[in-house]
Amino acid sequence: MGQALHDLKGDPQMSKDHICAEGCGCASKQSDRPSAEEMLVHYLGMLRGMQLWFHGAHVLTKGAGFSGDHAFLYDKIYTEIQEEMDGAIEKVVGLTQNEMLACPAKITDLAMAVLEHYPTPSGASCLMIASVGLQIIRDYLEGLELLYRDLKQSDELSLGLDDFIMTSANTHEGYVYLLQQRVKMESEK
């Protein structure tokens, strides 16, 4: 969410123009506040975008840390995000009763909008891959806080969704630690 849910210059307010892919058809372009369904489908787009980016990092990592990065760092992140994605789609459809929110084309369009905000891991150094990955996770956590706040303020946060968001934040904070250590290791060379 982060860069996908707020202005890239660090504005903590959600920017509908950043989160809406061209032609996504969401009503948030016409109103000041996106609906819970719109926020949740954009959340799914961010998760899918992260999963794709970290899968790319897993395949394209290189250098002295290749083995650890490939097998333990990026593999862990992208496969766990994939598992989270499955649960998130089920949660969103279960809460909203709107199967259109699980539309693969819509989620993929939103994921592409997210990916456009970050450098690709293709051709990047191991330090660049780790640094961009760290920023993606930090942005996601910031966006997750915005999602949580907005759902809570609009009284659309169930106990189960609250727990799901908290679990996601806890997991992704663990990724911040791992990626910070990886960036630190490269930076100190």
Side-chain angles (χ1 to χ4, degrees):
M1 296 204 313
Q3 287 179 319
L5 289 183
H6 68 69
D7 184 65
L8 294 174
K9 295 173 181 65
D11 182 0
Q13 299 300 315
M14 286 180 71
S15 169
K16 294 180 294 293
D17 294 332
H18 271 356
I19 62 175
C20 293
E22 192 65 38
C24 77
C26 77
S28 68
K29 292 177 183 174
Q30 291 83 32
S31 67
D32 287 340
R33 183 182 188 100
S35 71
E37 286 187 357
E38 291 163 347
M39 289 184 279
L40 291 169
V41 76
H42 291 293
Y43 162 69
L44 296 176
M46 181 61 184
L47 278 175
R48 177 63 74 211
M50 289 191 321
Q51 186 269 329
L52 291 168
W53 194 94
F54 280 101
H55 188 209
H58 162 76
V59 171
L60 298 168
T61 191
K62 58 190 74 62
F66 170 79
S67 250
D69 289 351
H70 177 79
F72 301 109
L73 179 61
Y74 301 123
D75 184 78
K76 172 184 176 57
I77 294 172
Y78 97 83
T79 57
E80 288 180 3
I81 291 174
Q82 177 59 45
E83 290 174 20
E84 182 177 356
M85 182 75 196
D86 185 60
I89 291 172
E90 292 170 0
K91 175 73 69 182
V92 167
V93 170
L95 290 173
T96 65
Q97 300 294 306
N98 184 350
E99 290 183 8
M100 291 307 296
L101 298 180
C103 172
K106 183 171 186 108
I107 293 170
T108 301
D109 284 345
L110 293 168
M112 287 300 300
V114 168
L115 291 172
E116 289 173 0
H117 292 293
Y118 299 98
T120 178
S122 300
S125 69
C126 56
L127 177 58
M128 177 61 93
I129 292 172
S131 296
V132 172
L134 177 59
Q135 188 60 52
I136 290 170
I137 298 297
R138 285 180 172 159
D139 289 344
Y140 171 76
L141 287 167
E142 187 176 329
L144 201 60
E145 287 183 34
L146 291 171
L147 175 67
Y148 182 86
R149 181 200 65 205
D150 288 349
L151 289 172
K152 191 169 182 116
Q153 284 177 352
S154 63
D155 200 30
E156 299 191 61
L157 185 66
S158 70
L159 289 175
L161 184 55
D162 184 302
D163 182 60
F164 193 88
I165 291 171
M166 295 298 175
T167 299
S168 181
N170 187 49
T171 299
H172 289 265
E173 286 171 0
Y175 301 154
V176 166
Y177 168 74
L178 295 173
L179 290 163
Q180 280 178 161
Q181 293 302 104
R182 181 65 179 97
V183 168
K184 189 185 302 181
M185 184 179 82
E186 281 300 314
S187 299
E188 292 174 353
K189 286 184 176 180

